[in-house]
Amino acid sequence: MHAFEYHRPASSKDALGLAGKKPEGKYLAGGQSLVQAMKLRLSSPTDLIDLGSLKELTGIKISGGSVEIGAMTRHADVAHSTELNKVIPSLCAMAGLIGDRQVRHLGTIGGSLANSDPAADYPAAVLALEGTIVTNKRKIAGDQFFKGLYETALEPGELITSVVFQAPKRGAYMKFRNPASRFALVGVYVADFGGKVRVGVTGAGASAFRQTDMEKALSSKFAPESVANIKVKPDGLNNDLHASPEYRAHLITVMCKRAVEAALK
């Protein structure tokens, strides 16, 4: 790990001010990805701007059919939110599948999305639930947020303040996870908004994406058999020691079918 300066701002305004003065610095949310990358010297920020004490960036607000979650809200808080469970139970269930207990109690939704790990769970939820990323500068539609491997639409120093999700009629998330890391080899989030279905996929490509063929089929008939025979092309899917592109393509169909079955229960 390279040497760095540590900062603990008292407010979002202070954090943004520090980011403006430290162009090679990085925001520190839960640290579950960044600190590990720093240990391996894959990342070497000159400064760490710790957001951990900023209560203004935490909390879950429900308004009608939408839910706003503060960027520094921990995965465990999302998983165990009684009020959120009444509106989007599938989002609570998904948060409960992230990593292990330590990761869920330290990791944050904003940190996960800013990192944009190709196997992270939240990106699938953002795409399926018509998510909007709110920053200190603007609102970014989920469909325009993920740009590639560990790449997002965020500009240097831009800070995620919250994420807004739309509540579906029903939904579910299913993932085939790596037994060691618990990251998704493939994860599929299905959300039925009543006549319109969105399907978010993570783990399969360089970044999360929507599966439009499955969306069309499920919008016509929300049933497992609607997607059972859809053949996903392996072109462009991840290829590593855990799974081939062909296997991941197969898993997209399997996990989507299981997600629909879960949503119908």
Side-chain angles (χ1 to χ4, degrees), residues 4-27:
F4 60 88
E5 293 292 328
Y6 174 80
H7 309 272
R8 193 171 179 85
S11 67
S12 296
K13 183 178 179 180
D14 291 342
L16 290 166
L18 281 166
K21 298 175 183 176
K22 309 290 183 179
E24 298 301 319
K26 285 185 177 293
Y27 294 121

Side-chain angles (χ1 to χ4, degrees), residues 47-111:
D47 298 79
L48 284 186
I49 303 170
D50 190 350
L51 307 176
S53 62
L54 304 186
K55 299 299 182 183
E56 64 199 85
L57 298 181
T58 65
I60 300 172
K61 300 176 183 177
I62 299 171
S63 178
S66 67
V67 174
E68 183 172 12
I69 303 178
M72 286 297 293
T73 304
R74 312 289 176 176
H75 306 320
D77 294 328
V78 175
H80 298 300
S81 172
T82 302
E83 293 304 312
L84 179 59
N85 192 57
K86 295 176 183 178
V87 182
I88 315 181
S90 56
L91 188 59
C92 295
M94 186 221 72
L97 296 174
I98 296 174
D100 55 25
R101 187 171 296 178
Q102 173 179 306
V103 170
R104 290 192 293 273
H105 280 271
L106 290 174
T108 67
I109 182 172

Side-chain angles (χ1 to χ4, degrees), residues 114-168:
N115 187 51
S116 191
D117 190 297
D121 298 291
Y122 269 116
V126 167
L127 294 179
L129 298 173
E130 296 185 326
T132 300
I133 313 301
V134 182
T135 78
N136 62 301
K137 295 182 177 181
R138 53 184 170 147
K139 296 180 180 179
I140 309 171
D143 288 335
Q144 280 76 55
F145 185 75
F146 305 104
K147 297 298 184 180
L149 185 66
Y150 295 104
E151 183 182 2
T152 71
L154 291 172
E155 299 172 352
E158 190 170 9
L159 177 65
I160 298 176
T161 57
S162 66
V163 186
V164 178
F165 297 98
Q166 302 307 312

